[in-house]
Amino acid sequence: QVQLVESGGGLVGAGGSLKLSCVASEYIFRIKIMGWFRQAPGKQRELVATMTSDGYTNYADSVKGRFTISGDNAKNTMYLQMNSLKPEDTAVYYCNARTPGYNDWGPGTQVTVSS
């Protein structure tokens, strides 16, 4: 089990930027895969971006070129840098940690992008 806490959400205008953080209770290099998901009202939770412990990253087509996932092992923290934000990016963003034995989520942080 790993505890995850997101922060950095808020209200931003279209075209703006936000940087989300996810602090884990475990060293992130011990977690096989970490990622960001989001869920808008009335929609399924969807993948935003993932990173593996060996450094590979993956992005949803909708955010490629705009979002960057990264991690800081010393701080047990994963980040999501979000640029060129669009109203359709509005959602609750969740941190996820998955490895054999657990699949854990943070409580989420709200991102709202105004027109």
Side-chain angles (χ1 to χ4, degrees):
Q1 301 295 116
V2 60
Q3 277 67 56
L4 305 165
V5 180
E6 305 94 338
S7 63
L11 175 65
V12 66
S17 297
L18 286 172
K19 188 174 184 178
L20 306 183
S21 298
C22 171
V23 178
S25 63
E26 177 62 276
Y27 296 113
I28 61 173
F29 59 78
R30 295 176 63 92
I31 302 170
K32 185 176 180 179
I33 185 168
M34 296 188 70
W36 291 95
F37 292 72
R38 66 188 182 187
Q39 187 167 26
K43 297 182 66 177
Q44 292 267 2
R45 186 172 298 187
E46 65 177 354
L47 171 72
V48 177
T50 60
M51 53 183 267
T52 64
S53 58
D54 55 358
Y56 290 94
T57 60
N58 184 59
Y59 297 90
D61 287 343
S62 61
V63 307
K64 284 181 179 177
R66 300 190 298 122
F67 292 9
T68 303
I69 189 170
S70 63
D72 186 333
N73 291 328
K75 296 182 178 180
N76 288 4
T77 301
M78 178 179 66
Y79 302 97
L80 184 69
Q81 177 66 52
M82 305 186 295
N83 299 324
S84 301
L85 283 162
K86 305 174 181 179
E88 50 263 47
D89 294 318
T90 295
V92 177
Y93 283 70
Y94 297 93
C95 179
N96 174 248
R98 177 161 52 88
T99 196
Y102 62 80
N103 182 17
D104 293 327
W105 299 86
T109 186
Q110 176 71 47
V111 172
T112 302
V113 184
S114 62
S115 299

